[in-house]
Amino acid sequence: MKISKPELSFWQIFNMNVGFLGIQYSFGLQQSAINPIFLFLGASEEILPILNIAGPVTGLVVQPLIGAISDKTWSPRWGRRKPFFLIGALLGSMCLFAFPLSPALWFAVGLLWILDVGNNMAMEPYRAFVGDKLPDRQLSLGYQMQSLFVGAGILLANASIFLFQDWFGGGEEISGEVPKWLYYSFFIGSFLSIATILWSVLKTPEIPPSDEELAEINSHRQMSFSARFKLPFKEIAEAVKEMPNFMWRLSAVYLFQWYALFIYWQFITPLFRATMGFDTSQAAAQAAKMSTTYNVVTTVVALILVPLTMRFGGKKIYAISLLGTAVALFSIPTITDPVYVLYPMVFFGIGWAAMMGIPYSMVSKIVPQERRGVYMGILNMMIVIPMGIQTLTFGPIFKNFLGANSVNAMFFAGTFFVIAALLATRLRVTKEYQ
């Protein structure tokens, strides 16, 4: 029996999504500060992709497993999804506090693995949480509200990086040491990671499962430990086998989209060392300004995309947004002025808002309620598999085919976004989305 879900007010949907601010602040630091820290600790540009493999691997394993497990979880006191993003937020908070204190490259890489486990553990059930709470007619608003907090969290993270660099930076860079000005951004992230999740947990009750769902959950609890351990893997395999054709087509878009995004995040700091002659601190601050700019745009346009997708269809808005992101990546290496180079990020920000909202709202409408968690986990697998492929393949591509040139790397990423936009036009959506 399908549970009847009441419509929520704007502020109820807002409070439900506040926790995404802390999660995305952490991801913002990963985009703009983790790779500079690796560089400060002695990593070469060539090995940056493989050092980032923690994100794809943990996302591939953690998110679908947590999704499947949370589908079979219910506590009258703690709910279904909340225990998982509380534990994930606590792990992330501890790792963010420790990260800038890393004494060596190996230590920072190890922390990144634990941080990614925490972030993925928090994020996947959060995606399903929105689908659990909202009726179909409010799903677009719910996921675009998440997109707004994606922009706001990453915006705050990146603004803190270049502001603290401006206020407390300067001086000679010491090889093997993380500059003190980077500490403050991570300490703020450590606080926000847990505080914002607690806000949403305390402000938003979960909807109890139906009698049928509760009977299935109780039946699951009576299984042996061995059977319960195997069940999530079995459910993931069955869900993939029965996956809607729309999701298979979306996976092709995601292959090129997320491969290209990982290139951008890894090589934007090296790019500015090459095109503007910056040292690593200056380049990291400029990269943070880029990310701040596009996330300001994301925060502004996220909710504007809701009526646009309802009028023109999610597929069209999504494809156009991806093409705009390609234009931004083609433009960045050709601009050597630190102010003018921010302008292309308007297109990037619109694309990022679309990427963070439109696919989730479409998928949430076509998957069954009782499998929403596992399908949101599978959707994340479509993100991390391209990232994993990128970490394993792009180092040799960068060295042997792109001349170890970060400018060429950015052009390569732009080309992949063009391909993603073309594939997005092939997404077949039902009238429900149009």
Side-chain angles (χ1 to χ4, degrees):
M1 182 181 71
K2 190 172 182 179
I3 298 174
S4 177
K5 304 174 188 177
E7 286 198 10
L8 301 186
S9 70
F10 177 89
W11 290 111
Q12 286 175 313
I13 296 174
F14 181 93
N15 286 331
M16 179 172 64
N17 284 294
V18 165
F20 231 63
L21 178 73
I23 296 171
Q24 294 303 317
Y25 187 103
S26 177
F27 275 111
L29 291 180
Q30 285 185 245
Q31 290 174 15
S32 298
I34 297 297
N35 285 300
I37 284 179
F38 289 161
L39 293 171
F40 284 126
L41 294 174
S44 65
E45 293 180 13
E46 181 184 331
I47 67 169
L48 287 180
I50 197 65
L51 294 182
N52 284 268
I53 200 171
V57 172
T58 56
L60 182 64
V61 175
V62 173
Q63 289 216 26
L65 281 179
I66 293 299
I69 293 169
S70 66
D71 282 342
K72 296 293 187 289
T73 298
W74 174 253
S75 163
R77 180 177 182 183
W78 300 106
R80 171 179 287 176
R81 315 292 183 184
K82 290 179 182 179
F84 298 97
F85 46 75
L86 271 173
I87 296 170
L90 187 60
L91 271 178
S93 179
M94 292 187 294
C95 288
L96 287 174
F97 187 86
F99 214 102
L101 306 174
S102 298
L105 181 61
W106 67 266
F107 189 91
V109 172
L111 276 179
L112 180 59
W113 280 85
I114 303 171
L115 176 63
D116 271 317
V117 168
N119 282 339
N120 282 294
M121 192 172 184
M123 189 167 68
E124 194 290 328
Y126 223 127
R127 296 289 192 190
F129 182 51
V130 171
D132 292 343
K133 285 286 293 182
L134 296 177
D136 285 354
R137 57 188 171 274
Q138 287 192 307
L139 283 174
S140 290
L141 176 59
Y143 284 110
Q144 286 305 137
M145 183 71 78
Q146 278 198 354
S147 184
L148 182 149
F149 278 108
V150 168
I154 300 175
L155 164 65
L156 288 175
N158 286 280
S160 73
I161 291 171
F162 72 77
L163 287 175
F164 289 139
Q165 198 276 337
D166 183 57
W167 295 341
F168 308 115
E172 184 179 351
E173 292 179 1
I174 301 174
S175 178
E177 289 189 13
V178 178
K180 296 296 188 292
W181 59 265
L182 257 179
Y183 285 34
Y184 309 111
S185 296
F186 281 84
F187 293 162
I188 291 171
S190 178
F191 169 76
L192 287 178
S193 180
I194 191 68
T196 58
I197 286 286
L198 282 173
W199 178 279
S200 290
V201 165
L202 296 174
K203 290 283 187 178
T204 311
E206 292 197 62
I207 297 176
S210 65
D211 292 340
E212 290 85 351
E213 287 178 316
L214 193 57
E216 187 177 352
I217 291 170
N218 288 332
S219 174
H220 176 260
R221 288 173 177 167
Q222 293 171 7
M223 293 180 177
S224 66
F225 175 80
S226 174
R228 278 186 290 169
F229 179 81
K230 295 175 183 176
L231 187 61
F233 298 95
K234 180 181 177 182
E235 290 195 342
I236 292 168
E238 289 178 352
V240 170
K241 184 178 178 181
E242 300 169 9
M243 194 163 67
N245 185 58
F246 174 84
M247 290 186 68
W248 286 110
R249 288 178 177 264
L250 183 62
S251 69
V253 180
Y254 270 23
L255 173 63
F256 292 93
Q257 170 186 306
W258 288 101
Y259 193 109
L261 280 169
F262 232 37
I263 293 173
Y264 171 82
W265 290 326
Q266 291 167 6
F267 285 91
I268 188 64
T269 296
L271 177 74
F272 290 134
R273 294 200 305 190
T275 60
M276 298 188 184
F278 288 161
D279 62 25
T280 303
S281 291
Q282 293 169 327
Q286 182 65 38
K289 291 176 184 177
M290 303 287 282
S291 191
T292 300
T293 303
Y294 80 72
N295 282 287
V296 167
V297 176
T298 296
T299 305
V300 171
V301 306
L303 299 185
I304 297 174
L305 291 181
V306 176
L308 289 176
T309 56
M310 293 178 67
R311 179 173 180 181
F312 300 106
K315 175 178 72 172
K316 292 178 182 177
I317 300 300
Y318 184 37
I320 293 170
S321 300
L322 293 177
L323 191 60
T325 309
V327 171
L329 295 189
F330 286 136
S331 302
I332 292 168
T334 67
I335 304 171
T336 56
D337 185 282
V339 175
Y340 290 154
V341 79
L342 300 176
Y343 294 168
M345 305 318 286
V346 173
F347 292 113
F348 198 111
I350 295 170
W352 185 237
M355 288 179 250
M356 289 294 98
I358 293 174
Y360 292 97
S361 64
M362 293 193 291
V363 169
S364 191
K365 292 175 183 177
I366 63 175
V367 298
Q369 164 71 28
E370 65 273 11
R371 277 185 166 180
R372 181 169 278 126
V374 69
Y375 272 117
M376 285 297 167
I378 290 170
L379 186 59
N380 187 72
M381 289 172 66
M382 297 177 186
I383 295 173
V384 299
I385 288 174
M387 288 183 172
I389 294 171
Q390 191 272 347
T391 62
L392 294 172
T393 63
F394 194 70
I397 291 172
F398 179 72
K399 179 181 179 181
N400 299 314
F401 297 99
L402 301 179
N405 188 320
S406 53
V407 172
N408 293 336
M410 207 59 62
F411 288 147
F412 188 97
T415 302
F416 266 34
F417 261 111
V418 172
I419 298 171
L422 292 173
L423 291 172
T425 64
R426 299 177 63 251
L427 292 174
R428 293 181 180 175
V429 291
T430 66
K431 292 181 179 178
E432 186 176 7
Y433 306 131
Q434 297 174 342

